Structures are given as structure tokens and as C-alpha cells.
Amino acid sequence: MDTQKSAVHGSRSGSAGVGGVAVFLLAVGTVATTTAAATSLLVDSLLAKRVLWGVVLVAISVSAGLWRGNQSFTASPPNSDRLPYVPRAGSPR
């Protein structure tokens, strides 16, 4: 029974992680596209617009990846109210 509970719990946390990644990627893509579109209005040449789009998209993507890489996935929140694990010393049998 415990195995089933942990399997179900594991799939829930996995799907929540995938959802968080999807939201992060969507937000980064939106920011990158909006920034690239706004900066491309500053130039007239089609080649310059293409180069500018590429540079802006790569710069924002790399910056977001580096920022996300520095975020901890396993750290507890600073004000965590979870009790620390203490093994039972004299459990009855």
C-alpha cells in the first residue's frame, strides 16, 4: 500500500514540476519575443532585423537559463513549518 501512495505522490510532484517548467518557458518566450519585436523597430534593414532578433532571443534565453540554473529545486522555504525528522526510540511492537 505504501508503494502505491509513493508512486501516486511521485507522479503528482512530477507533473507539478513539468507545469512549472512550461510556465517558465512560456514566460521567457513571451519576454524574448516582445523584446525582439520592440528592438527590431529600431532598424530598417531586413538583415539587421533578423540578426537583432537572433541576438535578443539568444541573450534572453541564455540569461533565463543561467538564472534558473542558480535556483534551488530541493531547498525548503525559509519559514518552513515542517517538523524535522526524529526517529522513534521506543516504539511498541
Side-chain angles (χ1 to χ4, degrees):
M1 196 78 177
D2 290 332
T3 306
Q4 291 175 347
K5 285 182 183 179
S6 64
V8 169
H9 178 67
S11 66
R12 285 183 187 162
S13 65
S15 64
V18 170
V21 170
V23 169
F24 175 74
L25 292 175
L26 184 63
V28 170
T30 302
V31 169
T33 303
T34 305
T35 306
T39 55
S40 71
L41 295 174
L42 301 174
V43 296
D44 292 329
S45 168
L46 182 60
L47 179 62
K49 286 182 186 281
R50 289 180 180 174
V51 169
L52 190 60
W53 267 84
V55 168
V56 169
L57 293 178
V58 168
I60 290 177
S61 299
V62 168
S63 299
L66 291 174
W67 175 81
R68 186 67 175 159
N70 287 333
Q71 303 300 310
S72 175
F73 293 107
T74 58
S76 297
N79 296 329
S80 177
D81 58 349
R82 292 186 296 182
L83 297 174
Y85 174 74
V86 178
R88 293 185 185 176
S91 60
R93 292 193 175 201

